Amino acid sequence: MAYGSVNTPGASERKVKALQTRVESLEKSLIGQEKLTGGTDPTAQTAAQVGQVYINTATGQEFVCTAVTEEGTAWEERTIPQIKLDIFAAGESPPEDTKLLWIDTDPSGGGLKYHNGAGWVHVPVAYT
């Protein structure tokens, strides 16, 4: 297997953080909202907008705000193993639609991939 700058075993934390930052920026531009984070699950008192995502940093579990009422904020646990939008899908397994970009979340060999007709390959990246 050939290794690139993103999937080299022992890749630097800086490169991983850069990829995370780019994904977060893409998510924000697509949904128009920042993700919320905290060390516990969200409660009715956790302020948010409908559709906004909350991540429990202790468990990695994601929640989506489904309603904001006088009683507080309603949250639904995100249980879908793969998040799919019109241009890309994210998860540990590849999407069935090979026309999408795939953000492989596998920590040991993940990264942004595309299907070249024969299989899923990393998008070439150059750092300067």
Side-chain angles (χ1 to χ4, degrees):
M1 169 192 254
Y3 290 105
S5 60
V6 172
N7 66 336
T8 301
S12 74
E13 286 294 318
R14 182 181 59 79
K15 290 179 183 178
V16 171
K17 183 66 176 169
L19 181 57
Q20 289 173 332
T21 301
R22 288 179 181 177
V23 169
E24 289 169 3
S25 176
L26 177 59
E27 288 176 335
K28 183 180 179 202
S29 67
L30 291 171
I31 63 175
Q33 300 171 336
E34 294 279 346
K35 283 189 175 180
L36 304 173
T37 60
T40 62
D41 290 350
T43 66
Q45 289 73 40
T46 306
Q49 298 176 11
V50 173
Q52 199 161 14
V53 175
Y54 178 98
I55 301 173
N56 178 331
T57 57
T59 65
Q61 182 57 48
E62 292 190 8
F63 298 83
V64 178
C65 176
T66 57
V68 178
T69 66
E70 290 179 6
E71 290 80 34
T73 308
W75 295 94
E76 184 176 298
E77 189 172 353
R78 200 181 249 182
T79 57
I80 302 169
Q82 188 175 83
I83 303 163
K84 183 177 176 183
L85 298 174
D86 291 339
I87 59 170
F88 75 89
E92 288 192 12
S93 58
E96 291 182 18
D97 185 350
T98 57
K99 294 176 186 156
L100 296 174
L101 290 172
W102 172 35
I103 298 176
D104 183 354
T105 58
D106 182 324
S108 64
L112 184 60
K113 298 179 180 181
Y114 70 99
H115 199 278
N116 67 3
W120 291 95
V121 296
H122 282 91
V123 172
V125 179
Y127 289 94
T128 57

